[in-house]
Structures are given as structure tokens and as C-alpha cells.
Amino acid sequence: DAGVTQSPTHLIKTRGQHVTLRCSPISGHKSVSWYQQVLGQGPQFIFQYYEKEERGRGNFPDRFSARQFPNYSSELNVNALLLGDSALYLCASSIGTDGGKLFFGSGTQLSVL
Amino acid sequence: DAKTTQPPSMDCAEGRAANLPCNHSTISGNEYVYWYRQIHSQGPQYIIHGLKNNETNEMASLIITEDRKSSTLILPHATLRDTAVYYCIVRVAGAGGTSYGKLTFGQGTILTVHP
């Protein structure tokens, strides 16, 4: 069975640009969460979507937004990119019965120049 | 979610047991202990979780002290592929609302398994 898939795997942008990252959860999983991992740090929670509704948001500015589609895939959008947005962006899905057991993708490595 | 404290790094010889400690002295009665690991260039991987009883699965064993203020993850026969950052996380299992899907990661323990 396919795991959580994220695209693209790597991305280079310049300051001020916009970026869209995509995530496909494991089949049957209705919950998708997004995390940001800066080099040398643990992942930090950005968003959680369940049944296409935002259910949680971490301490990130409004430049970060996300949505979940009817097929439960998700997009993370970041506007007006800053150098500090350079990080590994991780998507995780869960079946919805245990919010602590997440299945993570391999992430999108975003570099902002 | 309760704060956890882990040693920044540990070493282990291949084939020996790796015992990774975690302190969570402020854990609440309804909070579970979760362990994840992250191998270089991959996303975190769920290992095991428990409330107060010891747990074992195909990957590891989790020993939680009786007062629940600390726990130990045990990899019984460490291999080179177990080299990773190990995260100990406490959270309310099955939490709905705004906690759903949210894990609070700390710095973790870098476990290096040597030949």
C-alpha cells in the first residue's frame, strides 16, 4: 500500500514568492496534518485538517494557509516567502481514531533564497 | 501537552539493547506517552505508545514507571538501521478539537548505533 506522498520533494524559491506544497494521505485516512521542520529542530505543528475542515492551527503567521480536498488530499500554501521559511515541510495522515498515531511522508525540502 | 526531557545523544553497539530514557514529570493522568523516530532525510515514524502499562510491539518495548513520570524505550537488538533521532511525546490520545493530529516534538535523542 502507498504511504503518504508529498510533492515536490525539493523546491527552490526566492523571497517574496508564493509556494504550494501537495500531500496525498494513505488511502482511507481522513485527517491530514502539516509540520515545519527547521534544520536541527523537531517538527513544529502548522495545521490539521479533518473531513475537509481546519481543526487545529499552530503558531504560524497568516501567510501560511492550507486546504483539504474531497479526496482528502491537501495543499499547504505559503505567501510572501521569507528566508526563515526554508525548512522541511512534512505532511502526516491518520485514520481518525487515534490522533497521536500519525503516518508521515518524506517531506518537501523548501529553500528560500 | 506535558513537556518531555531527553538526553541529546546516546551511543549503542550493534546487537545490544538500546535503552532511551524520557522524563515527563508533569504528565497528566489522561496523557499517553508516544515514541517516534526520524531517520535522516525521512519523515518521523511511529514506534509505540502507552498509558501506564508496559507495551511491546515488533519494533520496541516501552517501560513506564509506576508514577508515570518517566519512561524508557527499549530496542532489544539494535542494528545500524536504528540510527536515528528518537522523540518522546506526551499527549491526550484521541484528543479531538484543536489537538487532533497535533504532536509537540522536542529536540529528541540522537541514537548512533556502532558496528
Side-chain angles (χ1 to χ4, degrees), chain B residues 2-7 20-27 33 35 65 67-72 88-90 109:
Chain B
K3 180 179 173 64
T4 62
T5 303
Q6 300 177 251
L20 293 95
C22 179
N23 181 285
H24 32 78
S25 59
T26 61
I27 192 169
V33 179
W35 282 84
T65 59
D67 63 8
R68 303 209 322 119
K69 293 184 177 182
S70 65
S71 61
T72 302
C88 171
I89 299 164
V90 293
T109 296

Side-chain angles (χ1 to χ4, degrees), chain B residues 16-59:
Chain B
R16 304 298 294 268
N19 299 292
L20 293 95
C22 179
N23 181 285
H24 32 78
S25 59
T26 61
I27 192 169
S28 300
N30 63 346
E31 288 184 309
Y32 284 64
V33 179
Y34 286 81
W35 282 84
Y36 280 76
R37 74 179 181 183
Q38 187 172 23
I39 297 170
H40 184 61
S41 298
Q42 297 182 22
Q45 176 191 24
Y46 167 84
I47 301 174
I48 197 168
H49 76 282
L51 182 63
K52 55 183 179 180
N53 298 319
N54 298 338
E55 302 287 344
T56 296
N57 63 20
E58 66 280 3
M59 292 184 66

